[in-house]
Amino acid sequence: RETDALHDALKERLGTGPEEFVKVVGRWQDGAREAARRIKEMERDLAASIAREMADTEGSVLARRVIGAGPDMLKAIGKAVTEARPDAIVALVGGAADPGGACFLVQAGQGGPADVSGIGAKVRDAIGAKGGGRGRLFQGQGGTAGGEWSLGDDLDLAE
């Protein structure tokens, strides 16, 4: 019978009988929620640490590659850096190193230039992404975050 086979398979996989399935799955869901919360907290701490490090760097254009960072993390880093260094331009590339998995953000603080589209276009084109923006923000996705080039050294971001 199909139901018995399903119960047997679930019992083998879960280590308990059908009467406990709901409790086991509930514990797994609770664990997954807790893990997601902890990951979000660690990403927030990492973004703050990267932002502090970048803000302490000299120069008007602060560039960094943050492999694995998604758009939200790049926004958090950019916001924190431009709050600490309103005169700076932040250029960030994140996402996966796989082709098509990159994301980027170029953002200026209130004391920086009113338009970062020139630098944003350089970053977008360098990684082969799609994106755009206006004013103090330029962002997009796609392209490749990996590679041998360095955002600040090999790619002339000065306007």
Side-chain angles (χ1 to χ4, degrees), residues 65-69 92-104 126-129 142-149 151:
R65 193 177 344 182
V66 188
I67 300 299
L92 299 162
V93 173
D98 302 327
C103 57
F104 74 95
I127 66 173
T144 304
E148 295 303 314
W149 56 271
L151 267 179

mmCIF file with all atom_site columns, all heavy atoms in Angstrom, residues 65-69 92-104 126-129 142-149 151:
data_model
loop_
_atom_site.group_PDB
_atom_site.id
_atom_site.type_symbol
_atom_site.label_atom_id
_atom_site.label_alt_id
_atom_site.label_comp_id
_atom_site.label_asym_id
_atom_site.label_entity_id
_atom_site.label_seq_id
_atom_site.pdbx_PDB_ins_code
_atom_site.Cartn_x
_atom_site.Cartn_y
_atom_site.Cartn_z
_atom_site.occupancy
_atom_site.B_iso_or_equiv
_atom_site.pdbx_formal_charge
_atom_site.auth_seq_id
_atom_site.auth_comp_id
_atom_site.auth_asym_id
_atom_site.auth_atom_id
_atom_site.pdbx_PDB_model_num
ATOM 1   N N   . ARG A 1 65  ? 35.631 44.689 -3.476  1.00 0.00 ? 65  ARG A N   1
ATOM 2   C CA  . ARG A 1 65  ? 34.897 43.527 -3.952  1.00 0.00 ? 65  ARG A CA  1
ATOM 3   C C   . ARG A 1 65  ? 34.511 42.719 -2.726  1.00 0.00 ? 65  ARG A C   1
ATOM 4   O O   . ARG A 1 65  ? 35.363 42.405 -1.895  1.00 0.00 ? 65  ARG A O   1
ATOM 5   C CB  . ARG A 1 65  ? 35.769 42.699 -4.883  1.00 0.00 ? 65  ARG A CB  1
ATOM 6   C CG  . ARG A 1 65  ? 34.992 41.686 -5.634  1.00 0.00 ? 65  ARG A CG  1
ATOM 7   C CD  . ARG A 1 65  ? 35.771 40.892 -6.617  1.00 0.00 ? 65  ARG A CD  1
ATOM 8   N NE  . ARG A 1 65  ? 37.066 41.438 -6.987  1.00 0.00 ? 65  ARG A NE  1
ATOM 9   C CZ  . ARG A 1 65  ? 37.857 40.874 -7.882  1.00 0.00 ? 65  ARG A CZ  1
ATOM 10  N NH1 . ARG A 1 65  ? 37.493 39.782 -8.482  1.00 0.00 ? 65  ARG A NH1 1
ATOM 11  N NH2 . ARG A 1 65  ? 39.015 41.401 -8.173  1.00 0.00 ? 65  ARG A NH2 1
ATOM 12  N N   . VAL A 1 66  ? 33.240 42.365 -2.604  1.00 0.00 ? 66  VAL A N   1
ATOM 13  C CA  . VAL A 1 66  ? 32.736 41.600 -1.457  1.00 0.00 ? 66  VAL A CA  1
ATOM 14  C C   . VAL A 1 66  ? 32.025 40.366 -2.024  1.00 0.00 ? 66  VAL A C   1
ATOM 15  O O   . VAL A 1 66  ? 30.807 40.362 -2.198  1.00 0.00 ? 66  VAL A O   1
ATOM 16  C CB  . VAL A 1 66  ? 31.771 42.433 -0.578  1.00 0.00 ? 66  VAL A CB  1
ATOM 17  C CG1 . VAL A 1 66  ? 31.416 41.677 0.696   1.00 0.00 ? 66  VAL A CG1 1
ATOM 18  C CG2 . VAL A 1 66  ? 32.363 43.796 -0.249  1.00 0.00 ? 66  VAL A CG2 1
ATOM 19  N N   . ILE A 1 67  ? 32.815 39.345 -2.346  1.00 0.00 ? 67  ILE A N   1
ATOM 20  C CA  . ILE A 1 67  ? 32.257 38.140 -2.957  1.00 0.00 ? 67  ILE A CA  1
ATOM 21  C C   . ILE A 1 67  ? 31.220 37.520 -2.008  1.00 0.00 ? 67  ILE A C   1
ATOM 22  O O   . ILE A 1 67  ? 31.454 37.378 -0.817  1.00 0.00 ? 67  ILE A O   1
ATOM 23  C CB  . ILE A 1 67  ? 33.366 37.118 -3.275  1.00 0.00 ? 67  ILE A CB  1
ATOM 24  C CG1 . ILE A 1 67  ? 34.380 37.721 -4.252  1.00 0.00 ? 67  ILE A CG1 1
ATOM 25  C CG2 . ILE A 1 67  ? 32.792 35.820 -3.840  1.00 0.00 ? 67  ILE A CG2 1
ATOM 26  C CD1 . ILE A 1 67  ? 33.818 38.123 -5.588  1.00 0.00 ? 67  ILE A CD1 1
ATOM 27  N N   . GLY A 1 68  ? 30.092 37.179 -2.567  1.00 0.00 ? 68  GLY A N   1
ATOM 28  C CA  . GLY A 1 68  ? 29.020 36.571 -1.788  1.00 0.00 ? 68  GLY A CA  1
ATOM 29  C C   . GLY A 1 68  ? 27.999 37.563 -1.265  1.00 0.00 ? 68  GLY A C   1
ATOM 30  O O   . GLY A 1 68  ? 26.915 37.179 -0.850  1.00 0.00 ? 68  GLY A O   1
ATOM 31  N N   . ALA A 1 69  ? 28.327 38.853 -1.275  1.00 0.00 ? 69  ALA A N   1
ATOM 32  C CA  . ALA A 1 69  ? 27.389 39.861 -0.774  1.00 0.00 ? 69  ALA A CA  1
ATOM 33  C C   . ALA A 1 69  ? 26.309 40.120 -1.812  1.00 0.00 ? 69  ALA A C   1
ATOM 34  O O   . ALA A 1 69  ? 26.594 40.290 -2.993  1.00 0.00 ? 69  ALA A O   1
ATOM 35  C CB  . ALA A 1 69  ? 28.126 41.158 -0.456  1.00 0.00 ? 69  ALA A CB  1
ATOM 36  N N   . LEU A 1 92  ? 31.202 49.198 -4.956  1.00 0.00 ? 92  LEU A N   1
ATOM 37  C CA  . LEU A 1 92  ? 31.186 47.839 -4.413  1.00 0.00 ? 92  LEU A CA  1
ATOM 38  C C   . LEU A 1 92  ? 30.723 46.846 -5.471  1.00 0.00 ? 92  LEU A C   1
ATOM 39  O O   . LEU A 1 92  ? 29.776 47.123 -6.209  1.00 0.00 ? 92  LEU A O   1
ATOM 40  C CB  . LEU A 1 92  ? 30.232 47.756 -3.218  1.00 0.00 ? 92  LEU A CB  1
ATOM 41  C CG  . LEU A 1 92  ? 30.558 48.639 -2.023  1.00 0.00 ? 92  LEU A CG  1
ATOM 42  C CD1 . LEU A 1 92  ? 29.341 48.804 -1.131  1.00 0.00 ? 92  LEU A CD1 1
ATOM 43  C CD2 . LEU A 1 92  ? 31.716 48.049 -1.250  1.00 0.00 ? 92  LEU A CD2 1
ATOM 44  N N   . VAL A 1 93  ? 31.388 45.710 -5.514  1.00 0.00 ? 93  VAL A N   1
ATOM 45  C CA  . VAL A 1 93  ? 30.958 44.606 -6.367  1.00 0.00 ? 93  VAL A CA  1
ATOM 46  C C   . VAL A 1 93  ? 30.811 43.393 -5.473  1.00 0.00 ? 93  VAL A C   1
ATOM 47  O O   . VAL A 1 93  ? 31.684 43.090 -4.660  1.00 0.00 ? 93  VAL A O   1
ATOM 48  C CB  . VAL A 1 93  ? 31.980 44.311 -7.487  1.00 0.00 ? 93  VAL A CB  1
ATOM 49  C CG1 . VAL A 1 93  ? 31.596 43.043 -8.250  1.00 0.00 ? 93  VAL A CG1 1
ATOM 50  C CG2 . VAL A 1 93  ? 32.085 45.492 -8.440  1.00 0.00 ? 93  VAL A CG2 1
ATOM 51  N N   . GLY A 1 94  ? 29.691 42.717 -5.586  1.00 0.00 ? 94  GLY A N   1
ATOM 52  C CA  . GLY A 1 94  ? 29.434 41.532 -4.769  1.00 0.00 ? 94  GLY A CA  1
ATOM 53  C C   . GLY A 1 94  ? 28.804 40.446 -5.608  1.00 0.00 ? 94  GLY A C   1
ATOM 54  O O   . GLY A 1 94  ? 28.900 40.436 -6.829  1.00 0.00 ? 94  GLY A O   1
ATOM 55  N N   . GLY A 1 95  ? 28.152 39.537 -4.921  1.00 0.00 ? 95  GLY A N   1
ATOM 56  C CA  . GLY A 1 95  ? 27.489 38.433 -5.593  1.00 0.00 ? 95  GLY A CA  1
ATOM 57  C C   . GLY A 1 95  ? 28.410 37.252 -5.759  1.00 0.00 ? 95  GLY A C   1
ATOM 58  O O   . GLY A 1 95  ? 29.531 37.217 -5.262  1.00 0.00 ? 95  GLY A O   1
ATOM 59  N N   . ALA A 1 96  ? 27.933 36.285 -6.490  1.00 0.00 ? 96  ALA A N   1
ATOM 60  C CA  . ALA A 1 96  ? 28.689 35.062 -6.740  1.00 0.00 ? 96  ALA A CA  1
ATOM 61  C C   . ALA A 1 96  ? 29.731 35.302 -7.822  1.00 0.00 ? 96  ALA A C   1
ATOM 62  O O   . ALA A 1 96  ? 29.549 36.149 -8.696  1.00 0.00 ? 96  ALA A O   1
ATOM 63  C CB  . ALA A 1 96  ? 27.740 33.948 -7.170  1.00 0.00 ? 96  ALA A CB  1
ATOM 64  N N   . ALA A 1 97  ? 30.820 34.554 -7.750  1.00 0.00 ? 97  ALA A N   1
ATOM 65  C CA  . ALA A 1 97  ? 31.875 34.668 -8.754  1.00 0.00 ? 97  ALA A CA  1
ATOM 66  C C   . ALA A 1 97  ? 31.470 34.012 -10.077 1.00 0.00 ? 97  ALA A C   1
ATOM 67  O O   . ALA A 1 97  ? 32.140 34.185 -11.082 1.00 0.00 ? 97  ALA A O   1
ATOM 68  C CB  . ALA A 1 97  ? 33.167 34.044 -8.230  1.00 0.00 ? 97  ALA A CB  1
ATOM 69  N N   . ASP A 1 98  ? 30.378 33.281 -10.089 1.00 0.00 ? 98  ASP A N   1
ATOM 70  C CA  . ASP A 1 98  ? 29.897 32.618 -11.304 1.00 0.00 ? 98  ASP A CA  1
ATOM 71  C C   . ASP A 1 98  ? 29.421 33.645 -12.323 1.00 0.00 ? 98  ASP A C   1
ATOM 72  O O   . ASP A 1 98  ? 28.918 34.706 -11.956 1.00 0.00 ? 98  ASP A O   1
ATOM 73  C CB  . ASP A 1 98  ? 28.717 31.689 -10.972 1.00 0.00 ? 98  ASP A CB  1
ATOM 74  C CG  . ASP A 1 98  ? 29.071 30.648 -9.944  1.00 0.00 ? 98  ASP A CG  1
ATOM 75  O OD1 . ASP A 1 98  ? 30.225 30.209 -9.926  1.00 0.00 ? 98  ASP A OD1 1
ATOM 76  O OD2 . ASP A 1 98  ? 28.184 30.286 -9.150  1.00 0.00 ? 98  ASP A OD2 1
ATOM 77  N N   . PRO A 1 99  ? 29.551 33.344 -13.610 1.00 0.00 ? 99  PRO A N   1
ATOM 78  C CA  . PRO A 1 99  ? 29.050 34.265 -14.631 1.00 0.00 ? 99  PRO A CA  1
ATOM 79  C C   . PRO A 1 99  ? 27.573 34.573 -14.417 1.00 0.00 ? 99  PRO A C   1
ATOM 80  O O   . PRO A 1 99  ? 26.764 33.677 -14.189 1.00 0.00 ? 99  PRO A O   1
ATOM 81  C CB  . PRO A 1 99  ? 29.266 33.495 -15.937 1.00 0.00 ? 99  PRO A CB  1
ATOM 82  C CG  . PRO A 1 99  ? 30.387 32.559 -15.637 1.00 0.00 ? 99  PRO A CG  1
ATOM 83  C CD  . PRO A 1 99  ? 30.208 32.177 -14.183 1.00 0.00 ? 99  PRO A CD  1
ATOM 84  N N   . GLY A 1 100 ? 27.241 35.848 -14.444 1.00 0.00 ? 100 GLY A N   1
ATOM 85  C CA  . GLY A 1 100 ? 25.864 36.286 -14.269 1.00 0.00 ? 100 GLY A CA  1
ATOM 86  C C   . GLY A 1 100 ? 25.457 36.478 -12.825 1.00 0.00 ? 100 GLY A C   1
ATOM 87  O O   . GLY A 1 100 ? 24.368 36.966 -12.552 1.00 0.00 ? 100 GLY A O   1
ATOM 88  N N   . GLY A 1 101 ? 26.309 36.129 -11.870 1.00 0.00 ? 101 GLY A N   1
ATOM 89  C CA  . GLY A 1 101 ? 25.927 36.178 -10.462 1.00 0.00 ? 101 GLY A CA  1
ATOM 90  C C   . GLY A 1 101 ? 26.358 37.417 -9.708  1.00 0.00 ? 101 GLY A C   1
ATOM 91  O O   . GLY A 1 101 ? 26.181 37.500 -8.502  1.00 0.00 ? 101 GLY A O   1
ATOM 92  N N   . ALA A 1 102 ? 26.930 38.390 -10.394 1.00 0.00 ? 102 ALA A N   1
ATOM 93  C CA  . ALA A 1 102 ? 27.452 39.574 -9.712  1.00 0.00 ? 102 ALA A CA  1
ATOM 94  C C   . ALA A 1 102 ? 26.365 40.616 -9.474  1.00 0.00 ? 102 ALA A C   1
ATOM 95  O O   . ALA A 1 102 ? 25.312 40.622 -10.108 1.00 0.00 ? 102 ALA A O   1
ATOM 96  C CB  . ALA A 1 102 ? 28.575 40.198 -10.531 1.00 0.00 ? 102 ALA A CB  1
ATOM 97  N N   . CYS A 1 103 ? 26.652 41.513 -8.555  1.00 0.00 ? 103 CYS A N   1
ATOM 98  C CA  . CYS A 1 103 ? 25.847 42.703 -8.338  1.00 0.00 ? 103 CYS A CA  1
ATOM 99  C C   . CYS A 1 103 ? 26.820 43.826 -7.980  1.00 0.00 ? 103 CYS A C   1
ATOM 100 O O   . CYS A 1 103 ? 27.949 43.564 -7.574  1.00 0.00 ? 103 CYS A O   1
ATOM 101 C CB  . CYS A 1 103 ? 24.794 42.502 -7.254  1.00 0.00 ? 103 CYS A CB  1
ATOM 102 S SG  . CYS A 1 103 ? 25.420 41.993 -5.646  1.00 0.00 ? 103 CYS A SG  1
ATOM 103 N N   . PHE A 1 104 ? 26.404 45.059 -8.168  1.00 0.00 ? 104 PHE A N   1
ATOM 104 C CA  . PHE A 1 104 ? 27.291 46.170 -7.859  1.00 0.00 ? 104 PHE A CA  1
ATOM 105 C C   . PHE A 1 104 ? 26.502 47.374 -7.374  1.00 0.00 ? 104 PHE A C   1
ATOM 106 O O   . PHE A 1 104 ? 25.291 47.480 -7.579  1.00 0.00 ? 104 PHE A O   1
ATOM 107 C CB  . PHE A 1 104 ? 28.155 46.541 -9.070  1.00 0.00 ? 104 PHE A CB  1
ATOM 108 C CG  . PHE A 1 104 ? 27.401 47.273 -10.150 1.00 0.00 ? 104 PHE A CG  1
ATOM 109 C CD1 . PHE A 1 104 ? 27.402 48.659 -10.204 1.00 0.00 ? 104 PHE A CD1 1
ATOM 110 C CD2 . PHE A 1 104 ? 26.698 46.580 -11.112 1.00 0.00 ? 104 PHE A CD2 1
ATOM 111 C CE1 . PHE A 1 104 ? 26.706 49.334 -11.191 1.00 0.00 ? 104 PHE A CE1 1
ATOM 112 C CE2 . PHE A 1 104 ? 25.993 47.241 -12.104 1.00 0.00 ? 104 PHE A CE2 1
ATOM 113 C CZ  . PHE A 1 104 ? 25.996 48.623 -12.147 1.00 0.00 ? 104 PHE A CZ  1
ATOM 114 N N   . ALA A 1 126 ? 32.856 46.957 -16.603 1.00 0.00 ? 126 ALA A N   1
ATOM 115 C CA  . ALA A 1 126 ? 34.001 46.112 -16.239 1.00 0.00 ? 126 ALA A CA  1
ATOM 116 C C   . ALA A 1 126 ? 33.579 44.705 -15.848 1.00 0.00 ? 126 ALA A C   1
ATOM 117 O O   . ALA A 1 126 ? 34.285 43.745 -16.133 1.00 0.00 ? 126 ALA A O   1
ATOM 118 C CB  . ALA A 1 126 ? 34.787 46.755 -15.097 1.00 0.00 ? 126 ALA A CB  1
ATOM 119 N N   . ILE A 1 127 ? 32.408 44.581 -15.210 1.00 0.00 ? 127 ILE A N   1
ATOM 120 C CA  . ILE A 1 127 ? 31.973 43.244 -14.788 1.00 0.00 ? 127 ILE A CA  1
ATOM 121 C C   . ILE A 1 127 ? 30.957 42.638 -15.753 1.00 0.00 ? 127 ILE A C   1
ATOM 122 O O   . ILE A 1 127 ? 30.518 41.507 -15.566 1.00 0.00 ? 127 ILE A O   1
ATOM 123 C CB  . ILE A 1 127 ? 31.440 43.237 -13.339 1.00 0.00 ? 127 ILE A CB  1
ATOM 124 C CG1 . ILE A 1 127 ? 30.151 44.052 -13.196 1.00 0.00 ? 127 ILE A CG1 1
ATOM 125 C CG2 . ILE A 1 127 ? 32.514 43.697 -12.375 1.00 0.00 ? 127 ILE A CG2 1
ATOM 126 C CD1 . ILE A 1 127 ? 29.497 43.930 -11.834 1.00 0.00 ? 127 ILE A CD1 1
ATOM 127 N N   . GLY A 1 128 ? 30.549 43.404 -16.762 1.00 0.00 ? 128 GLY A N   1
ATOM 128 C CA  . GLY A 1 128 ? 29.598 42.891 -17.745 1.00 0.00 ? 128 GLY A CA  1
ATOM 129 C C   . GLY A 1 128 ? 28.186 42.794 -17.216 1.00 0.00 ? 128 GLY A C   1
ATOM 130 O O   . GLY A 1 128 ? 27.431 41.901 -17.597 1.00 0.00 ? 128 GLY A O   1
ATOM 131 N N   . ALA A 1 129 ? 27.820 43.719 -16.346 1.00 0.00 ? 129 ALA A N   1
ATOM 132 C CA  . ALA A 1 129 ? 26.496 43.686 -15.713 1.00 0.00 ? 129 ALA A CA  1
ATOM 133 C C   . ALA A 1 129 ? 25.512 44.581 -16.462 1.00 0.00 ? 129 ALA A C   1
ATOM 134 O O   . ALA A 1 129 ? 25.864 45.260 -17.427 1.00 0.00 ? 129 ALA A O   1
ATOM 135 C CB  . ALA A 1 129 ? 26.608 44.135 -14.267 1.00 0.00 ? 129 ALA A CB  1
ATOM 136 N N   . GLY A 1 142 ? 24.209 41.106 -12.604 1.00 0.00 ? 142 GLY A N   1
ATOM 137 C CA  . GLY A 1 142 ? 24.651 40.350 -13.767 1.00 0.00 ? 142 GLY A CA  1
ATOM 138 C C   . GLY A 1 142 ? 26.160 40.455 -13.893 1.00 0.00 ? 142 GLY A C   1
ATOM 139 O O   . GLY A 1 142 ? 26.827 41.077 -13.083 1.00 0.00 ? 142 GLY A O   1
ATOM 140 N N   . GLY A 1 143 ? 26.684 39.840 -14.894 1.00 0.00 ? 143 GLY A N   1
ATOM 141 C CA  . GLY A 1 143 ? 28.125 39.896 -15.087 1.00 0.00 ? 143 GLY A CA  1
ATOM 142 C C   . GLY A 1 143 ? 28.848 38.971 -14.120 1.00 0.00 ? 143 GLY A C   1
ATOM 143 O O   . GLY A 1 143 ? 28.264 38.085 -13.510 1.00 0.00 ? 143 GLY A O   1
ATOM 144 N N   . THR A 1 144 ? 30.151 39.208 -13.985 1.00 0.00 ? 144 THR A N   1
ATOM 145 C CA  . THR A 1 144 ? 30.995 38.330 -13.187 1.00 0.00 ? 144 THR A CA  1
ATOM 146 C C   . THR A 1 144 ? 31.771 39.120 -12.154 1.00 0.00 ? 144 THR A C   1
ATOM 147 O O   . THR A 1 144 ? 32.493 40.054 -12.498 1.00 0.00 ? 144 THR A O   1
ATOM 148 C CB  . THR A 1 144 ? 31.986 37.570 -14.094 1.00 0.00 ? 144 THR A CB  1
ATOM 149 O OG1 . THR A 1 144 ? 31.226 36.868 -15.078 1.00 0.00 ? 144 THR A OG1 1
ATOM 150 C CG2 . THR A 1 144 ? 32.820 36.582 -13.311 1.00 0.00 ? 144 THR A CG2 1
ATOM 151 N N   . ALA A 1 145 ? 31.631 38.736 -10.891 1.00 0.00 ? 145 ALA A N   1
ATOM 152 C CA  . ALA A 1 145 ? 32.344 39.410 -9.793  1.00 0.00 ? 145 ALA A CA  1
ATOM 153 C C   . ALA A 1 145 ? 33.753 38.878 -9.634  1.00 0.00 ? 145 ALA A C   1
ATOM 154 O O   . ALA A 1 145 ? 34.585 39.508 -9.016  1.00 0.00 ? 145 ALA A O   1
ATOM 155 C CB  . ALA A 1 145 ? 31.581 39.241 -8.480  1.00 0.00 ? 145 ALA A CB  1
ATOM 156 N N   . GLY A 1 146 ? 34.016 37.714 -10.178 1.00 0.00 ? 146 GLY A N   1
ATOM 157 C CA  . GLY A 1 146 ? 35.345 37.111 -10.050 1.00 0.00 ? 146 GLY A CA  1
ATOM 158 C C   . GLY A 1 146 ? 36.313 37.736 -11.026 1.00 0.00 ? 146 GLY A C   1
ATOM 159 O O   . GLY A 1 146 ? 36.074 38.785 -11.605 1.00 0.00 ? 146 GLY A O   1
ATOM 160 N N   . GLY A 1 147 ? 37.424 37.091 -11.202 1.00 0.00 ? 147 GLY A N   1
ATOM 161 C CA  . GLY A 1 147 ? 38.414 37.597 -12.134 1.00 0.00 ? 147 GLY A CA  1
ATOM 162 C C   . GLY A 1 147 ? 39.626 38.128 -11.406 1.00 0.00 ? 147 GLY A C   1
ATOM 163 O O   . GLY A 1 147 ? 39.654 38.205 -10.185 1.00 0.00 ? 147 GLY A O   1
ATOM 164 N N   . GLU A 1 148 ? 40.595 38.520 -12.169 1.00 0.00 ? 148 GLU A N   1
ATOM 165 C CA  . GLU A 1 148 ? 41.869 38.944 -11.599 1.00 0.00 ? 148 GLU A CA  1
ATOM 166 C C   . GLU A 1 148 ? 41.962 40.442 -11.388 1.00 0.00 ? 148 GLU A C   1
ATOM 167 O O   . GLU A 1 148 ? 42.843 40.914 -10.712 1.00 0.00 ? 148 GLU A O   1
ATOM 168 C CB  . GLU A 1 148 ? 43.002 38.485 -12.529 1.00 0.00 ? 148 GLU A CB  1
ATOM 169 C CG  . GLU A 1 148 ? 43.122 36.974 -12.611 1.00 0.00 ? 148 GLU A CG  1
ATOM 170 C CD  . GLU A 1 148 ? 43.332 36.332 -11.259 1.00 0.00 ? 148 GLU A CD  1
ATOM 171 O OE1 . GLU A 1 148 ? 44.152 36.818 -10.480 1.00 0.00 ? 148 GLU A OE1 1
ATOM 172 O OE2 . GLU A 1 148 ? 42.645 35.327 -10.982 1.00 0.00 ? 148 GLU A OE2 1
ATOM 173 N N   . TRP A 1 149 ? 41.084 41.229 -12.013 1.00 0.00 ? 149 TRP A N   1
ATOM 174 C CA  . TRP A 1 149 ? 41.196 42.672 -11.878 1.00 0.00 ? 149 TRP A CA  1
ATOM 175 C C   . TRP A 1 149 ? 40.827 43.131 -10.476 1.00 0.00 ? 149 TRP A C   1
ATOM 176 O O   . TRP A 1 149 ? 40.096 42.486 -9.756  1.00 0.00 ? 149 TRP A O   1
ATOM 177 C CB  . TRP A 1 149 ? 40.341 43.387 -12.924 1.00 0.00 ? 149 TRP A CB  1
ATOM 178 C CG  . TRP A 1 149 ? 38.902 43.004 -12.891 1.00 0.00 ? 149 TRP A CG  1
ATOM 179 C CD1 . TRP A 1 149 ? 38.321 41.989 -13.573 1.00 0.00 ? 149 TRP A CD1 1
ATOM 180 C CD2 . TRP A 1 149 ? 37.871 43.605 -12.114 1.00 0.00 ? 149 TRP A CD2 1
ATOM 181 N NE1 . TRP A 1 149 ? 36.987 41.918 -13.269 1.00 0.00 ? 149 TRP A NE1 1
ATOM 182 C CE2 . TRP A 1 149 ? 36.689 42.895 -12.381 1.00 0.00 ? 149 TRP A CE2 1
ATOM 183 C CE3 . TRP A 1 149 ? 37.822 44.656 -11.228 1.00 0.00 ? 149 TRP A CE3 1
ATOM 184 C CZ2 . TRP A 1 149 ? 35.480 43.225 -11.798 1.00 0.00 ? 149 TRP A CZ2 1
ATOM 185 C CZ3 . TRP A 1 149 ? 36.622 44.984 -10.635 1.00 0.00 ? 149 TRP A CZ3 1
ATOM 186 C CH2 . TRP A 1 149 ? 35.474 44.273 -10.927 1.00 0.00 ? 149 TRP A CH2 1
ATOM 187 N N   . LEU A 1 151 ? 39.202 46.323 -8.325  1.00 0.00 ? 151 LEU A N   1
ATOM 188 C CA  . LEU A 1 151 ? 38.351 47.488 -8.531  1.00 0.00 ? 151 LEU A CA  1
ATOM 189 C C   . LEU A 1 151 ? 39.128 48.794 -8.465  1.00 0.00 ? 151 LEU A C   1
ATOM 190 O O   . LEU A 1 151 ? 38.995 49.646 -9.319  1.00 0.00 ? 151 LEU A O   1
ATOM 191 C CB  . LEU A 1 151 ? 37.260 47.535 -7.451  1.00 0.00 ? 151 LEU A CB  1
ATOM 192 C CG  . LEU A 1 151 ? 35.946 46.885 -7.784  1.00 0.00 ? 151 LEU A CG  1
ATOM 193 C CD1 . LEU A 1 151 ? 35.011 46.992 -6.609  1.00 0.00 ? 151 LEU A CD1 1
ATOM 194 C CD2 . LEU A 1 151 ? 35.313 47.478 -9.005  1.00 0.00 ? 151 LEU A CD2 1
#
